[in-house]
Coordinates of all heavy atoms in Angstrom, one line a residue:
M1 N 11.3 38.6 -192.1 CA 10.9 38.8 -193.6 C 9.5 38.2 -193.7 O 9.2 37.1 -193.3 CB 11.9 38.1 -194.5 CG 11.5 38.2 -195.9 SD 12.7 37.4 -196.9 CE 12.8 38.6 -198.2
S2 N 8.6 39.0 -194.3 CA 7.3 38.5 -194.4 C 7.0 37.9 -195.9 O 7.4 38.5 -196.8 CB 6.3 39.7 -194.1 OG 5.0 39.2 -194.4
N3 N 6.3 36.9 -195.9 CA 6.0 36.3 -197.2 C 4.6 36.6 -197.7 O 4.1 36.0 -198.6 CB 6.2 34.8 -197.2 CG 7.7 34.4 -197.2 OD1 8.5 35.2 -197.6 ND2 7.9 33.2 -196.7
Q4 N 4.0 37.6 -196.9 CA 2.6 37.9 -197.4 C 2.6 38.6 -198.7 O 3.4 39.4 -199.1 CB 2.0 38.9 -196.4 CG 1.7 38.3 -195.1 CD 0.9 39.4 -194.2 OE1 1.2 40.5 -194.2 NE2 0.1 38.9 -193.4
Q5 N 1.6 38.1 -199.5 CA 1.5 38.7 -200.8 C 0.5 39.9 -200.8 O -0.4 39.9 -199.9 CB 0.9 37.7 -201.8 CG 1.8 36.5 -201.8 CD 1.9 35.8 -203.2 OE1 1.0 36.1 -204.0 NE2 2.7 34.9 -203.4
P6 N 0.8 40.9 -201.6 CA -0.2 42.1 -201.6 C -1.5 41.6 -202.1 O -1.6 40.7 -202.8 CB 0.5 43.0 -202.6 CG 1.4 42.2 -203.4 CD 1.8 41.0 -202.6
P7 N -2.6 42.4 -201.7 CA -3.9 42.0 -202.1 C -4.0 42.0 -203.6 O -3.4 42.9 -204.2 CB -4.8 43.1 -201.4 CG -3.9 43.9 -200.5 CD -2.5 43.5 -200.8
R8 N -4.8 41.2 -204.1 CA -5.0 41.1 -205.6 C -6.1 42.1 -205.9 O -7.1 42.1 -205.3 CB -5.2 39.7 -206.0 CG -4.1 38.7 -205.8 CD -4.4 37.3 -205.9 NE -5.5 37.0 -206.9 CZ -5.8 35.7 -207.1 NH1 -5.2 34.7 -206.5 NH2 -6.8 35.5 -208.0
R9 N -5.9 42.8 -207.0 CA -6.9 43.7 -207.5 C -8.2 42.9 -207.9 O -9.3 43.3 -207.7 CB -6.4 44.6 -208.5 CG -7.6 45.5 -209.1 CD -7.1 46.6 -209.9 NE -8.3 47.3 -210.3 CZ -8.3 48.3 -211.2 NH1 -7.2 48.6 -211.7 NH2 -9.4 48.9 -211.5
F10 N -8.0 41.9 -208.6 CA -9.1 41.1 -209.2 C -9.3 39.8 -208.5 O -8.4 39.0 -208.5 CB -8.9 40.9 -210.7 CG -8.9 42.1 -211.5 CD1 -7.7 42.7 -211.9 CD2 -10.1 42.8 -211.8 CE1 -7.6 43.9 -212.6 CE2 -10.1 44.0 -212.4 CZ -8.9 44.6 -212.9
T11 N -10.4 39.7 -207.8 CA -10.7 38.5 -207.0 C -11.6 37.6 -207.8 O -12.6 38.0 -208.3 CB -11.4 38.8 -205.8 OG1 -10.6 39.8 -205.0 CG2 -11.8 37.7 -204.8
P12 N -11.2 36.3 -208.0 CA -12.0 35.4 -208.8 C -13.3 35.1 -208.1 O -13.4 35.0 -206.9 CB -11.2 34.1 -208.9 CG -9.9 34.3 -208.1 CD -10.0 35.7 -207.5
M13 N -14.4 35.0 -208.9 CA -15.7 34.6 -208.4 C -15.6 33.1 -208.3 O -14.9 32.4 -209.0 CB -16.8 35.1 -209.3 CG -16.9 36.7 -209.3 SD -18.2 37.3 -210.3 CE -19.6 37.0 -209.3
S14 N -16.6 32.5 -207.5 CA -16.7 31.1 -207.4 C -17.1 30.6 -208.7 O -18.0 31.1 -209.4 CB -17.7 30.7 -206.3 OG -17.2 31.2 -205.1
Q15 N -16.5 29.5 -209.1 CA -17.0 28.8 -210.4 C -17.0 27.3 -210.2 O -16.3 26.8 -209.5 CB -16.1 29.2 -211.6 CG -14.8 28.5 -211.6 CD -13.7 29.1 -210.8 OE1 -13.9 30.3 -210.4 NE2 -12.8 28.4 -210.4
F16 N -18.1 26.7 -210.8 CA -18.2 25.3 -210.6 C -18.2 24.6 -212.0 O -17.9 23.4 -212.1 CB -19.5 25.0 -210.0 CG -19.6 25.5 -208.6 CD1 -20.3 26.7 -208.3 CD2 -18.9 24.9 -207.6 CE1 -20.3 27.3 -207.1 CE2 -19.0 25.4 -206.2 CZ -19.7 26.6 -206.0
A17 N -18.3 25.5 -213.1 CA -18.3 24.9 -214.4 C -17.0 24.9 -215.1 O -16.9 24.4 -216.2 CB -19.4 25.6 -215.3
T18 N -16.1 25.6 -214.6 CA -14.7 25.8 -215.2 C -13.6 25.5 -214.3 O -13.8 25.5 -213.1 CB -14.6 27.2 -215.8 OG1 -14.5 28.1 -214.6 CG2 -15.6 27.6 -216.7
D19 N -12.5 25.1 -214.8 CA -11.3 24.8 -214.0 C -10.5 26.1 -213.7 O -9.7 26.1 -212.9 CB -10.4 23.8 -214.8 CG -11.1 22.4 -214.9 OD1 -11.9 22.1 -214.0 OD2 -10.7 21.7 -215.8
Y20 N -10.7 27.1 -214.5 CA -9.9 28.3 -214.5 C -11.0 29.5 -214.3 O -12.0 29.5 -214.9 CB -9.2 28.5 -215.8 CG -8.3 29.8 -215.7 CD1 -7.0 29.7 -215.1 CD2 -8.7 31.0 -216.2 CE1 -6.2 30.8 -215.1 CE2 -7.9 32.1 -216.2 CZ -6.6 32.0 -215.6 OH -5.8 33.1 -215.5
P21 N -10.7 30.4 -213.3 CA -11.6 31.4 -213.0 C -11.7 32.4 -214.2 O -10.7 32.9 -214.7 CB -11.1 32.2 -211.8 CG -9.7 31.8 -211.7 CD -9.5 30.5 -212.4
V22 N -13.0 32.6 -214.7 CA -13.1 33.5 -215.8 C -13.9 34.8 -215.4 O -13.8 35.8 -216.1 CB -13.8 32.8 -217.0 CG1 -13.0 31.7 -217.6 CG2 -15.2 32.3 -216.6
L23 N -14.6 34.8 -214.3 CA -15.3 35.9 -213.8 C -14.5 36.5 -212.7 O -14.2 35.8 -211.7 CB -16.7 35.6 -213.4 CG -17.6 35.1 -214.6 CD1 -18.9 34.7 -214.0 CD2 -17.7 36.2 -215.7
L24 N -14.2 37.8 -212.7 CA -13.4 38.4 -211.7 C -14.1 39.6 -211.1 O -14.8 40.3 -211.8 CB -12.0 38.8 -212.3 CG -11.2 37.7 -212.9 CD1 -10.1 38.3 -213.7 CD2 -10.7 36.7 -211.9
I25 N -13.9 39.9 -209.8 CA -14.4 41.1 -209.2 C -13.2 42.1 -209.0 O -12.2 41.7 -208.5 CB -15.0 40.7 -207.8 CG1 -16.1 39.7 -207.8 CG2 -15.5 42.0 -207.0 CD1 -16.4 39.0 -206.5
D26 N -13.5 43.3 -209.4 CA -12.5 44.4 -209.3 C -12.5 44.8 -207.8 O -13.4 45.6 -207.4 CB -12.8 45.5 -210.2 CG -11.7 46.6 -210.2 OD1 -10.8 46.6 -209.3 OD2 -11.8 47.5 -211.0
S27 N -11.5 44.4 -207.0 CA -11.5 44.7 -205.6 C -11.3 46.2 -205.3 O -11.5 46.7 -204.3 CB -10.4 43.9 -204.9 OG -10.6 42.5 -205.0
D28 N -10.8 46.9 -206.3 CA -10.6 48.4 -206.2 C -11.7 49.2 -206.7 O -11.7 50.5 -206.6 CB -9.3 48.7 -207.0 CG -8.0 48.3 -206.4 OD1 -8.1 47.9 -205.2 OD2 -7.0 48.3 -207.1
A29 N -12.8 48.5 -207.2 CA -14.0 49.3 -207.6 C -14.6 50.1 -206.4 O -14.4 49.6 -205.3 CB -15.0 48.3 -208.2
P30 N -15.2 51.1 -206.6 CA -15.8 51.9 -205.6 C -16.8 51.1 -204.8 O -17.6 50.3 -205.4 CB -16.6 53.1 -206.3 CG -15.8 53.2 -207.6 CD -15.4 51.9 -208.0
L31 N -16.9 51.2 -203.5 CA -17.8 50.4 -202.7 C -19.2 50.6 -203.1 O -20.0 49.6 -203.1 CB -17.7 50.8 -201.2 CG -16.4 50.2 -200.5 CD1 -16.3 50.8 -199.1 CD2 -16.4 48.7 -200.5
R32 N -19.6 51.8 -203.6 CA -21.0 52.0 -204.0 C -21.3 51.2 -205.2 O -22.3 50.5 -205.3 CB -21.2 53.5 -204.3 CG -22.6 53.8 -204.9 CD -22.8 55.3 -205.2 NE -22.5 56.1 -204.1 CZ -23.4 56.4 -203.1 NH1 -24.6 56.0 -203.2 NH2 -23.1 57.3 -202.2
E33 N -20.3 51.0 -206.1 CA -20.5 50.1 -207.3 C -20.6 48.7 -206.9 O -21.5 47.9 -207.5 CB -19.4 50.4 -208.3 CG -19.4 51.8 -208.8 CD -20.7 52.3 -209.6 OE1 -21.3 51.4 -210.3 OE2 -21.0 53.4 -209.4
L34 N -19.8 48.2 -206.0 CA -19.8 46.8 -205.6 C -21.2 46.6 -204.9 O -21.8 45.5 -205.1 CB -18.7 46.5 -204.6 CG -17.3 46.5 -205.3 CD1 -16.1 46.5 -204.3 CD2 -17.2 45.3 -206.3
H35 N -21.6 47.6 -204.1 CA -22.9 47.4 -203.3 C -24.0 47.4 -204.3 O -24.9 46.5 -204.2 CB -23.1 48.6 -202.4 CG -24.4 48.5 -201.7 ND1 -25.5 49.1 -202.2 CD2 -24.7 47.9 -200.5 CE1 -26.5 48.9 -201.4 NE2 -26.1 48.1 -200.3
N36 N -24.0 48.2 -205.4 CA -25.0 48.1 -206.4 C -25.1 46.8 -207.1 O -26.2 46.3 -207.4 CB -24.8 49.3 -207.4 CG -25.1 50.7 -206.9 OD1 -25.7 50.8 -205.9 ND2 -24.6 51.6 -207.6
C37 N -24.0 46.2 -207.3 CA -23.9 44.9 -208.0 C -24.5 43.8 -207.0 O -25.3 43.0 -207.5 CB -22.4 44.5 -208.2 SG -22.2 42.9 -208.9
V38 N -24.2 43.9 -205.8 CA -24.8 42.9 -204.8 C -26.3 43.2 -204.7 O -27.1 42.2 -204.7 CB -24.1 43.1 -203.4 CG1 -24.9 42.4 -202.3 CG2 -22.7 42.6 -203.4
S39 N -26.7 44.4 -204.6 CA -28.1 44.7 -204.4 C -28.9 44.3 -205.6 O -30.0 43.6 -205.4 CB -28.2 46.2 -204.2 OG -29.6 46.5 -204.1
E40 N -28.4 44.5 -206.8 CA -29.1 44.0 -208.0 C -29.3 42.5 -208.1 O -30.4 42.0 -208.3 CB -28.4 44.4 -209.2 CG -29.0 44.0 -210.6 CD -28.2 44.4 -211.7 OE1 -27.0 44.2 -211.7 OE2 -28.8 44.8 -212.7
R41 N -28.3 41.8 -207.7 CA -28.4 40.3 -207.7 C -29.2 39.8 -206.6 O -30.0 38.8 -206.8 CB -27.0 39.7 -207.7 CG -26.3 39.7 -209.0 CD -24.8 39.5 -208.9 NE -24.2 39.5 -210.3 CZ -24.0 40.4 -211.1 NH1 -24.5 41.7 -210.8 NH2 -23.5 40.4 -212.3
L42 N -29.1 40.3 -205.4 CA -29.9 39.8 -204.3 C -31.4 40.1 -204.5 O -32.2 39.3 -204.3 CB -29.4 40.5 -203.0 CG -30.0 40.0 -201.7 CD1 -29.9 38.4 -201.6 CD2 -29.4 40.7 -200.5
N43 N -31.7 41.3 -205.0 CA -33.1 41.6 -205.2 C -33.7 40.8 -206.4 O -34.8 40.3 -206.3 CB -33.3 43.1 -205.6 CG -33.2 44.0 -204.3 OD1 -33.6 43.6 -203.3 ND2 -32.5 45.1 -204.5
A44 N -32.9 40.6 -207.4 CA -33.3 39.6 -208.5 C -33.6 38.2 -207.9 O -34.6 37.6 -208.2 CB -32.3 39.6 -209.6
A45 N -32.7 37.7 -207.1 CA -32.8 36.3 -206.6 C -34.1 36.3 -205.6 O -34.9 35.3 -205.7 CB -31.6 36.0 -205.8
L46 N -34.3 37.3 -204.8 CA -35.5 37.3 -204.0 C -36.8 37.4 -204.8 O -37.7 36.6 -204.5 CB -35.4 38.5 -203.0 CG -34.4 38.4 -201.8 CD1 -34.2 39.7 -201.1 CD2 -34.7 37.2 -201.0
K47 N -36.8 38.3 -205.8 CA -38.0 38.3 -206.6 C -38.2 37.0 -207.3 O -39.4 36.6 -207.5 CB -37.9 39.5 -207.6 CG -38.0 40.8 -206.9 CD -37.9 41.9 -208.0 CE -37.9 43.3 -207.3 NZ -37.6 44.4 -208.2
Y48 N -37.2 36.4 -207.8 CA -37.3 35.1 -208.5 C -37.8 34.0 -207.6 O -38.7 33.3 -208.0 CB -35.9 34.8 -209.1 CG -35.8 33.6 -210.0 CD1 -36.4 33.6 -211.2 CD2 -35.1 32.5 -209.6 CE1 -36.3 32.5 -212.1 CE2 -35.1 31.4 -210.4 CZ -35.7 31.4 -211.6 OH -35.6 30.3 -212.4
L49 N -37.3 33.9 -206.4 CA -37.6 32.9 -205.5 C -39.1 33.2 -205.0 O -39.8 32.2 -204.8 CB -36.7 32.8 -204.3 CG -35.3 32.3 -204.7 CD1 -34.4 32.5 -203.5 CD2 -35.4 30.8 -205.1
H50 N -39.5 34.4 -204.9 CA -40.9 34.7 -204.5 C -41.8 34.3 -205.6 O -42.9 33.7 -205.3 CB -41.0 36.3 -204.2 CG -42.4 36.6 -203.9 ND1 -43.0 36.3 -202.6 CD2 -43.4 37.2 -204.6 CE1 -44.2 36.8 -202.6 NE2 -44.5 37.4 -203.8
L51 N -41.5 34.5 -206.8 CA -42.3 34.1 -207.9 C -42.4 32.6 -208.0 O -43.5 32.0 -208.1 CB -41.7 34.5 -209.3 CG -42.4 34.0 -210.5 CD1 -43.7 34.6 -210.7 CD2 -41.5 34.4 -211.8
M52 N -41.3 31.9 -207.7 CA -41.3 30.4 -207.7 C -42.2 29.9 -206.5 O -42.8 28.9 -206.6 CB -39.9 29.8 -207.7 CG -39.1 30.0 -208.9 SD -39.8 29.3 -210.4 CE -40.6 30.7 -211.2
A53 N -42.1 30.6 -205.4 CA -42.8 30.1 -204.2 C -44.4 30.3 -204.4 O -45.2 29.6 -203.8 CB -42.4 31.0 -203.0
C54 N -44.7 31.2 -205.3 CA -46.1 31.4 -205.6 C -46.7 30.6 -206.8 O -47.8 30.8 -207.1 CB -46.4 32.9 -205.8 SG -46.0 33.9 -204.4
T55 N -45.8 29.8 -207.3 CA -46.2 29.0 -208.5 C -46.5 27.6 -208.1 O -45.9 27.1 -207.1 CB -45.0 29.0 -209.4 OG1 -44.6 30.3 -209.8 CG2 -45.3 28.2 -210.7
S56 N -47.4 27.0 -208.7 CA -47.8 25.6 -208.4 C -46.8 24.7 -208.9 O -46.5 24.6 -210.1 CB -49.2 25.3 -209.0 OG -49.5 24.0 -208.8
L57 N -46.0 24.0 -208.1 CA -45.0 23.1 -208.5 C -45.4 21.9 -209.3 O -44.7 21.4 -210.1 CB -44.2 22.6 -207.3 CG -43.4 23.7 -206.5 CD1 -42.7 23.1 -205.2 CD2 -42.4 24.3 -207.4
P58 N -46.6 21.4 -209.1 CA -46.9 20.2 -210.0 C -47.0 20.5 -211.5 O -47.0 19.7 -212.3 CB -48.4 19.8 -209.5 CG -48.4 20.3 -208.0 CD -47.5 21.6 -208.0
D59 N -47.0 21.8 -211.7 CA -47.1 22.2 -213.2 C -45.7 22.1 -213.9 O -45.6 22.3 -215.0 CB -47.5 23.7 -213.3 CG -48.9 23.9 -212.8 OD1 -49.6 22.9 -212.8 OD2 -49.3 25.1 -212.5
Y60 N -44.6 21.8 -213.1 CA -43.3 21.8 -213.6 C -42.7 20.4 -213.5 O -42.9 19.7 -212.6 CB -42.4 22.8 -212.9 CG -42.9 24.3 -213.1 CD1 -43.7 24.9 -212.2 CD2 -42.5 24.9 -214.2 CE1 -44.2 26.2 -212.3 CE2 -43.0 26.2 -214.4 CZ -43.8 26.8 -213.5 OH -44.3 28.1 -213.7
A61 N -41.9 20.2 -214.6 CA -41.1 18.9 -214.5 C -39.9 19.1 -213.6 O -39.5 20.2 -213.2 CB -40.6 18.6 -215.9
E62 N -39.5 18.0 -213.1 CA -38.3 18.0 -212.2 C -37.1 18.7 -212.7 O -36.4 19.5 -212.0 CB -37.9 16.5 -211.8 CG -36.7 16.4 -210.9 CD -36.3 15.0 -210.6 OE1 -37.2 14.1 -210.7 OE2 -35.2 14.8 -210.2
N63 N -36.9 18.6 -214.0 CA -35.8 19.3 -214.7 C -36.0 20.9 -214.6 O -34.9 21.6 -214.3 CB -35.7 18.9 -216.2 CG -34.4 19.5 -216.8 OD1 -33.4 19.6 -216.2 ND2 -34.6 19.9 -218.0
D64 N -37.2 21.3 -214.7 CA -37.4 22.7 -214.5 C -37.1 23.3 -213.1 O -36.6 24.3 -212.9 CB -38.9 23.1 -214.8 CG -39.3 22.8 -216.3 OD1 -38.3 22.9 -217.1 OD2 -40.4 22.6 -216.6
I65 N -37.4 22.4 -212.1 CA -37.2 22.8 -210.7 C -35.7 22.9 -210.5 O -35.2 23.7 -209.8 CB -37.9 21.8 -209.8 CG1 -39.4 22.0 -209.9 CG2 -37.4 22.1 -208.3 CD1 -40.2 20.9 -209.1
N66 N -35.0 22.0 -211.0 CA -33.5 21.9 -210.9 C -32.9 23.2 -211.6 O -32.0 23.8 -211.1 CB -32.9 20.7 -211.6 CG -33.2 19.5 -210.8 OD1 -33.4 19.5 -209.6 ND2 -33.1 18.3 -211.4
T67 N -33.4 23.6 -212.7 CA -33.0 24.8 -213.4 C -33.3 26.1 -212.5 O -32.4 26.9 -212.4 CB -33.7 25.0 -214.7 OG1 -33.4 23.8 -215.6 CG2 -33.2 26.3 -215.4
V68 N -34.4 26.1 -211.9 CA -34.8 27.3 -211.1 C -33.9 27.3 -209.9 O -33.4 28.4 -209.6 CB -36.3 27.1 -210.6 CG1 -36.6 28.1 -209.4 CG2 -37.2 27.4 -211.8
T69 N -33.6 26.2 -209.3 CA -32.7 26.1 -208.1 C -31.3 26.5 -208.5 O -30.7 27.3 -207.7 CB -32.7 24.7 -207.5 OG1 -34.1 24.3 -207.2 CG2 -31.9 24.6 -206.3
N70 N -30.8 26.1 -209.7 CA -29.5 26.5 -210.1 C -29.3 28.0 -210.4 O -28.3 28.6 -210.0 CB -29.1 25.6 -211.3 CG -27.6 25.6 -211.5 OD1 -26.8 25.6 -210.6 ND2 -27.2 25.7 -212.8
I71 N -30.3 28.6 -211.0 CA -30.3 30.0 -211.2 C -30.3 30.8 -209.9 O -29.4 31.7 -209.7 CB -31.5 30.5 -212.0 CG1 -31.4 29.9 -213.5 CG2 -31.7 32.0 -212.1 CD1 -32.7 30.1 -214.2
A72 N -31.1 30.4 -208.9 CA -31.0 31.1 -207.7 C -29.7 30.9 -206.9 O -29.1 31.8 -206.4 CB -32.2 30.5 -206.8
R73 N -29.1 29.7 -207.0 CA -27.8 29.4 -206.5 C -26.7 30.3 -207.0 O -25.9 30.8 -206.3 CB -27.4 27.9 -206.6 CG -26.1 27.6 -205.9 CD -25.5 26.3 -206.5 NE -25.4 26.2 -207.9 CZ -24.3 26.7 -208.5 NH1 -23.4 27.4 -207.9 NH2 -24.2 26.6 -209.9
I74 N -26.7 30.4 -208.3 CA -25.7 31.3 -209.0 C -25.8 32.7 -208.6 O -24.8 33.3 -208.2 CB -25.8 31.1 -210.6 CG1 -25.4 29.7 -211.0 CG2 -25.0 32.2 -211.3 CD1 -25.7 29.4 -212.4
L75 N -27.0 33.2 -208.6 CA -27.2 34.6 -208.1 C -26.8 34.9 -206.6 O -26.1 35.8 -206.4 CB -28.7 35.0 -208.3 CG -29.2 35.3 -209.7 CD1 -30.7 35.4 -209.7 CD2 -28.5 36.5 -210.3
V76 N -27.1 33.9 -205.8 CA -26.7 34.1 -204.4 C -25.3 33.9 -204.2 O -24.6 34.5 -203.4 CB -27.6 33.1 -203.5 CG1 -27.1 33.1 -202.0 CG2 -29.1 33.5 -203.5
Q77 N -24.6 33.0 -205.0 CA -23.2 32.8 -204.9 C -22.5 34.1 -205.4 O -21.5 34.5 -204.8 CB -22.7 31.6 -205.8 CG -21.3 31.3 -205.7 CD -20.8 30.9 -204.3 OE1 -21.4 30.0 -203.8 NE2 -19.9 31.6 -203.7
D78 N -23.0 34.7 -206.4 CA -22.4 36.0 -206.9 C -22.5 37.0 -205.7 O -21.5 37.8 -205.4 CB -23.2 36.6 -208.1 CG -22.9 35.9 -209.3 OD1 -22.0 35.0 -209.3 OD2 -23.5 36.3 -210.4
V79 N -23.6 37.1 -205.0 CA -23.8 38.0 -203.9 C -22.7 37.7 -202.8 O -22.0 38.6 -202.3 CB -25.2 37.9 -203.3 CG1 -25.3 38.7 -202.0 CG2 -26.2 38.5 -204.3
S80 N -22.5 36.4 -202.5 CA -21.6 36.0 -201.5 C -20.2 36.4 -201.9 O -19.4 36.9 -201.1 CB -21.7 34.5 -201.2 OG -20.8 34.1 -200.3
D81 N -19.9 36.2 -203.2 CA -18.5 36.5 -203.6 C -18.2 38.1 -203.5 O -17.1 38.4 -203.1 CB -18.3 36.1 -205.1 CG -18.3 34.5 -205.2 OD1 -18.0 33.8 -204.2 OD2 -18.4 34.0 -206.3
V82 N -19.1 38.9 -203.9 CA -19.0 40.3 -203.8 C -18.9 40.7 -202.4 O -18.1 41.6 -202.0 CB -20.0 41.0 -204.7 CG1 -19.8 42.6 -204.5 CG2 -20.0 40.7 -206.1
F83 N -19.7 40.2 -201.5 CA -19.6 40.5 -200.2 C -18.3 40.2 -199.5 O -17.7 40.9 -198.7 CB -20.7 39.8 -199.3 CG -22.0 40.6 -199.2 CD1 -23.2 40.0 -199.3 CD2 -22.0 41.9 -198.8 CE1 -24.4 40.7 -199.1 CE2 -23.1 42.7 -198.6 CZ -24.4 42.0 -198.8
R84 N -17.7 39.1 -200.0 CA -16.4 38.7 -199.6 C -15.3 39.8 -199.9 O -14.3 40.0 -199.2 CB -15.9 37.4 -200.3 CG -14.8 36.6 -199.6 CD -14.5 35.3 -200.3 NE -14.1 35.6 -201.7 CZ -14.6 34.9 -202.7 NH1 -15.4 33.9 -202.6 NH2 -14.2 35.2 -204.0
V85 N -15.5 40.6 -201.0 CA -14.7 41.6 -201.3 C -15.0 43.0 -200.6 O -14.1 43.7 -200.1 CB -14.7 41.9 -202.8 CG1 -14.0 43.1 -203.3 CG2 -14.1 40.7 -203.6
I86 N -16.3 43.2 -200.4 CA -16.7 44.4 -199.7 C -16.4 44.4 -198.3 O -16.0 45.5 -197.7 CB -18.3 44.6 -200.0 CG1 -18.6 45.0 -201.4 CG2 -18.8 45.6 -199.0 CD1 -20.1 45.0 -201.6
E87 N -16.6 43.3 -197.6 CA -16.6 43.3 -196.1 C -15.2 43.8 -195.6 O -15.2 44.7 -194.7 CB -16.9 41.9 -195.6 CG -18.4 41.6 -195.7 CD -18.8 40.3 -195.3 OE1 -17.9 39.4 -195.2 OE2 -20.0 40.0 -195.2
P88 N -14.1 43.3 -196.0 CA -12.8 43.8 -195.4 C -12.6 45.3 -195.7 O -12.2 46.0 -194.8 CB -11.7 43.0 -196.2 CG -12.4 41.8 -196.7 CD -13.8 42.2 -197.0
R89 N -13.0 45.8 -196.8 CA -12.9 47.3 -197.0 C -13.8 48.0 -196.2 O -13.5 49.1 -195.7 CB -13.2 47.5 -198.5 CG -12.1 47.1 -199.4 CD -12.4 47.3 -200.9 NE -12.7 48.7 -201.2 CZ -13.1 49.2 -202.4 NH1 -13.3 48.4 -203.3 NH2 -13.3 50.5 -202.5
G90 N -15.1 47.6 -195.9 CA -16.0 48.2 -195.1 C -15.5 48.3 -193.7 O -15.6 49.3 -192.9
F91 N -15.0 47.2 -193.2 CA -14.5 47.1 -191.8 C -13.2 48.0 -191.6 O -13.0 48.6 -190.6 CB -14.2 45.6 -191.4 CG -15.5 44.9 -191.3 CD1 -15.6 43.6 -191.8 CD2 -16.6 45.4 -190.6 CE1 -16.8 42.8 -191.7 CE2 -17.8 44.6 -190.5 CZ -17.9 43.4 -191.0
E92 N -12.4 48.1 -192.6 CA -11.2 48.9 -192.6 C -11.7 50.4 -192.4 O -11.1 51.1 -191.7 CB -10.4 48.8 -193.9 CG -9.6 47.6 -193.9 CD -8.8 47.4 -195.2 OE1 -8.8 48.4 -196.0 OE2 -8.3 46.3 -195.5
T93 N -12.7 50.8 -193.2 CA -13.3 52.1 -193.1 C -13.7 52.5 -191.7 O -13.5 53.5 -191.1 CB -14.4 52.3 -194.1 OG1 -13.9 52.1 -195.4 CG2 -14.9 53.8 -194.1
L94 N -14.4 51.5 -191.1 CA -15.0 51.7 -189.7 C -13.8 51.8 -188.7 O -13.9 52.6 -187.8 CB -15.8 50.5 -189.3 CG -17.2 50.4 -190.0 CD1 -17.9 49.2 -189.6 CD2 -18.0 51.7 -189.7
K95 N -12.7 51.1 -188.8 CA -11.6 51.2 -188.0 C -10.9 52.5 -188.0 O -10.4 53.0 -187.0 CB -10.6 50.1 -188.3 CG -11.0 48.6 -187.8 CD -9.8 47.7 -188.2 CE -10.3 46.2 -187.9 NZ -9.2 45.3 -188.3
S96 N -10.9 53.0 -189.2 CA -10.1 54.3 -189.3 C -10.9 55.5 -188.9 O -10.4 56.6 -188.9 CB -9.7 54.5 -190.8 OG -10.8 54.6 -191.6
Q97 N -12.2 55.4 -188.6 CA -13.0 56.5 -188.1 C -12.9 56.8 -186.7 O -12.6 56.0 -185.8 CB -14.5 56.2 -188.5 CG -14.7 56.2 -190.0 CD -16.2 56.0 -190.3 OE1 -17.0 55.7 -189.5 NE2 -16.5 56.2 -191.6

């Protein structure tokens, strides 16, 4: 007898500000849509970090740098969470071919 639980349709995203997951990823969403979500966030994070890299840091207070870093962390964490959902499905597709 197996005690394995069936895959959950909604996978919680990582959260650090709440005790209960409030943002969920639809694991059954089409791979193209999940990929679009990842792509949008990753490209936004890269553009944002590029902008910050080209900015003179002495112009900003320490609090501003912490805010910039936290925004980039949240975007990259979202990307990681969606990849966690995409990867098993993508690898299953490759196995079946």
Side-chain angles (χ1 to χ4, degrees):
M1 176 179 228
S2 173
N3 287 339
Q4 286 185 329
Q5 300 213 349
R8 293 169 32 181
R9 175 167 180 188
F10 296 100
T11 302
M13 294 181 75
S14 299
Q15 77 280 337
F16 299 98
T18 64
D19 293 329
Y20 185 83
V22 294
L23 298 175
L24 305 168
I25 302 165
D26 182 351
S27 301
D28 289 344
L31 284 175
R32 180 178 301 275
E33 297 300 322
L34 292 168
H35 178 270
N36 289 344
C37 177
V38 166
S39 180
E40 178 184 42
R41 281 163 174 71
L42 186 56
N43 286 325
L46 289 172
K47 288 177 184 176
Y48 186 68
L49 290 172
H50 179 73
L51 175 66
M52 291 298 105
C54 295
T55 302
S56 176
L57 292 179
D59 295 343
Y60 295 97
E62 182 180 333
N63 189 37
D64 294 334
I65 294 170
N66 289 339
T67 300
V68 165
T69 304
N70 196 39
I71 291 168
R73 181 197 58 80
I74 290 169
L75 287 170
V76 172
Q77 184 63 58
D78 285 358
V79 169
S80 177
D81 289 344
V82 177
F83 268 136
R84 195 179 62 225
V85 170
I86 289 175
E87 287 173 348
R89 287 180 55 190
F91 292 134
E92 284 175 12
T93 302
L94 289 175
K95 284 181 184 178
S96 66
Q97 291 180 353

